Amino acid sequence: QLHLQQSGPGLLKPSETLSLTCYVSGDSVNSNSYYWGWIRQPPGKGLEWIVSIYNSGNVYYRPSLKSRVTTSVDASRNQFSLKLRSVTAADTAVYYCFGVRAVAGDQDFWGQGTLVTVSS
Amino acid sequence: QSVLTQPPSASGTPGQRVTISCSGSSSNIGGNSVNWYQQLPGAAPKLLIYTNTQRPSGVPDRFSGSKSGASASLAISGLQSEDEADYYCAAWDDSLNGHYVFGTGTKVTVL
């Protein structure tokens, strides 16, 4: 069983960079058994997929965010990260990291969620 | 803006059957499989149905999924109070270099 633990600041000013990390326990972040990613949920609104990261090296982005998003995988710390540049109030949301069992896609694991508020 | 359309709400009394629709297009549901997620209040979403009709281990069999053309449906039979939650369909979309899309979400209320 995987366990995902998120970390990162909850309050940012406009134009700053959002930086979140998801620590994985229970398997290696380099395992081909899973792929990883991030979604977000603005307050009172629906789910928005942000990015999916495959250990093949393929990364897929939400088209509207692609120019501002950077992801990384750190095998030495068994974690993966999300950076979102030049945030505005529209980026205020609860951000969740996830892991999905690859191939079958029959099991998912989620971080606890981080409320990120962008305010001057 | 989501490209998968769901009704904003659905409701039923305990024991009833509730159905939620999800309408897409040829670039998403029409050509790819559909997943459904359940999000309980204050919690992360959880995979409920994958590959159109399959239930992950531990998901009760009162939840079922179907797909026809560019639309999909989630049915909850024998509605229970603990089923009160938000439900989202999702699918891969082949446009714009490929990306995952969620539906607009449906709030299910148990009366």
Side-chain angles (χ1 to χ4, degrees):
Chain A
Q1 284 289 82
L2 288 182
H3 181 71
L4 277 61
Q5 181 71 35
Q6 298 176 218
S7 63
L11 182 61
L12 294 172
K13 290 182 167 53
S15 82
E16 292 185 332
T17 295
L18 178 157
S19 184
L20 295 174
T21 295
C22 189
Y23 173 74
V24 179
S25 57
D27 205 333
S28 168
V29 75
N30 274 346
S31 168
N32 288 326
S33 298
Y34 301 96
Y35 66 89
W36 316 102
W38 297 86
I39 71 166
R40 68 182 184 181
Q41 185 169 34
K45 297 189 178 181
L47 304 177
E48 296 181 358
W49 172 83
I50 300 172
V51 64
S52 291
I53 308 161
Y54 293 79
N55 285 327
S56 62
N58 291 331
V59 182
Y60 298 92
Y61 301 91
R62 184 179 186 84
S64 60
L65 296 178
K66 185 176 181 179
S67 63
R68 296 195 289 133
V69 169
T70 303
T71 61
S72 61
V73 177
D74 186 340
S76 65
R77 298 181 179 181
N78 218 39
Q79 62 188 34
F80 60 98
S81 300
L82 171 74
K83 291 187 187 298
L84 179 65
R85 294 178 294 278
S86 304
V87 297
T88 70
D91 296 310
T92 294
V94 176
Y95 287 74
Y96 294 99
C97 64
F98 66 83
V100 176
R101 201 154 76 157
V103 182
D106 62 342
Q107 199 171 18
D108 61 348
F109 303 89
W110 295 85
Q112 78 276 21
T114 302
L115 174 60
V116 177
T117 302
V118 180
S119 174
S120 56
Chain B
Q1 189 161 355
S2 176
V3 296
L4 302 184
T5 303
Q6 300 178 231
S9 63
S11 63
T13 57
Q16 278 191 328
R17 175 183 171 94
V18 170
T19 302
I20 301 168
S21 62
C22 175
S23 178
S25 68
S26 58
S27 66
N28 42 68
I29 294 177
N32 297 292
S33 60
V34 177
N35 297 332
W36 288 89
Y37 298 83
Q38 178 191 59
Q39 187 178 31
L40 297 170
K46 187 70 180 172
L47 186 65
L48 192 66
I49 297 288
Y50 67 99
T51 317
N52 305 323
T53 61
Q54 303 302 301
R55 284 186 307 277
S57 176
V59 172
D61 61 6
R62 65 177 184 275
F63 293 96
S64 62
S66 64
K67 173 186 151 178
S68 177
S71 295
S73 293
L74 173 72
I76 311 174
S77 302
L79 191 66
Q80 298 186 8
S81 58
E82 59 261 38
D83 299 333
E84 187 159 293
D86 293 321
Y87 293 83
Y88 295 89
C89 60
W92 192 255
D93 192 300
D94 294 325
S95 67
L96 300 173
N97 295 317
H99 58 287
Y100 198 61
V101 290
F102 283 104
T104 49
T106 299
K107 168 70 176 176
V108 169
T109 301
V110 181
L111 301 171

